[in-house]
Amino acid sequence: MATMNEAATALAAGRRGLGRDLAGLAVILVLAAIGYLLFPNNLALLTRITAIALLVLSLDLVTGYCGVATLGHAALFGSGAYAAGIAAVHFGITDPLLMVAAGILGGALAGLACGIVILRAHGLPQLVLSIALIHLFHEFANKASSWTGGSDGLAGIAPDPLIGLFAFDLWGRTAYVFGVVLLAIVFVLLRLVVRSPFGMLCRGIKEDPIRIRAMGASPTIALLKMYVISGAVAGAGGALNAVSTQVVALDSLSFTLSAESLVMLVLGGTGSLFGALTGTIVFMFFEDLVSAANPFHWLTMVGALLIAVVLFTPKGLYGTVAAILARRRGAGR
Amino acid sequence: MQTIFSIAVDALAYGMVLFVISIGLSVTLGLMRVVNLAHGAFAMIGGYIASYAARDLGLGYGAAVLIAVFGTIVIAIPIERLLYRRIYGQPELTQVLMTIGITFCIIGIANYVFGPTLKTIPLPPSLEGSADLGFRSIAVHRIFAIVCGLAVAGALWFAIEKTAFGVKLRAAVDNAAMAAALGVRTEVVYAVSFAVAVGLAAFGGVVGAELLPVEPYYALRYMVTFLVVVSVGGAGSIPGALAACLLLGGIDTTGRYLMPEFGEFFFYLAVIAIVCVFPRGLAGRMK
């Protein structure tokens, strides 16, 4: 009887999860359509938001689900961007889908390398390792200027029309639709990953690694796998950025981008894919608004926003709203 | 030989400045377990105040240093009361975000008040020029920085190892709850060490202004360096911090002299190697 009940609950939970997947997908597509209608002249910003959303999603995988503190996640994003750019410029692979594939591969490899180093430590040393890594990647890309263009950036990326039909036009419509579709696919895949037994294992490691080890699983191997997945997602974001802007700049491997992506994640709420998306959208629009209104006070405003988030909504925007809703629902019952 | 000698002097001076600034971070990190990324911002505030006092008010160098140290402490106290209090004992991620936020605010405000230009702190005539050692001459300011570093290290060693306050401090670092149960007023210990840490940061910011120039992005540019030094040295350990500063200062300066095109490549490579080999720092006592 009990097992039947459990099975029924599990089934219901599974169904609810599937329903939320579809709801999330619908929300992404509706928001994308609204963005397209509201800002037809600013599709470049919207495409950039989709690319950064992929980065923040991938950061959520390691920070929110695995509890790895990192201030160097742009290393994976930038590696993906440079992999796609180098494939296009030096090897003539200009098909956008293949470029994204190159980005995913580059990001995954960078994820493997970063994971091996970062997972050796915990707490503050881990943070320091991640900072050192992002600087190392940055310096390396700066030095290998025959491949990466150094501080001038890697220019001259000219992607072919998407599946031979849709050229990347001046207004960035193709790039935007491409980005949204990529984001939607990645989002659904990640929902499946974080709900899978493997995703649960990673959450378990975040809560109590010793217990997971006692249960016979290897925390390091599981986290390393997650890091590679995360690298692939971030690499896809980097490749999308390379395809849409047709240039890869050194700042895609910067400490600032890493710190900003962490800020976006925490602003939205860690440990939830919806939170990652919320944080990215809110932060990027806020950045666009404030830096257009008053570029001098931009940093002050971001700082104040950060302090306010830490003080008033420690669970992030999405986390806080979700908690309030859950309390309402609990009270309603 | 000449190059080796000038590398050694510069590395020593740079390491000592790093030490003066980051030892405060090391103490607060070991004691209060706060990953304070805004520490560099306090050093920057010190530099700005000293520059203002010396250039615009026309005060002497010594007076400027004193005003900078106390002014920075006065600025830091309300920040500690209002903001830091709330992140004691919180997860590292929260602390990192809060202190990055504080850093961004301070940079923005400094940029607004003092403008984006580089600020200099005029040196008194006695610190300008170079001293002749017979076979080689070195800038007096470098010697001054090295002496300051040694003096700070000595004074801190004395205060922590030989005084009653040092005993309380060490007790609070090892086990704050037990120390409080034994009648140590940890609140007071925390407040005093925070003030000392901030004061030392400001002092280092002023003394090191020749090596680490004061400008609005100072706080962001060196934030990582200070944190790295503390982490490599092991939080809360003076000998560890000293060793880390000299080692990393040496690597960084040597890299800059011999292979300037590689920038900070070797610095960060060394950091990764050291952290991997000594995950708790060179003299780690942090759990």
Side-chain angles (χ1 to χ4, degrees), chain B residues 52-70:
Chain B
Y52 181 75
R55 280 208 322 184
D56 299 303
L57 302 181
L59 297 172
Y61 191 74
V65 170
L66 278 182
I67 293 177
V69 170
F70 285 104

Side-chain angles (χ1 to χ4, degrees), chain A residues 123-125 131 143 266 300 303 311, chain B residues 29 86 92 97 101 108 224 261 279:
Chain A
L124 179 67
I131 296 172
K143 263 348 284 167
V266 174
T300 321
L311 288 185
Chain B
L29 191 62
R86 298 171 188 246
E92 268 143 17
L97 285 167
V224 169
E261 68 272 28

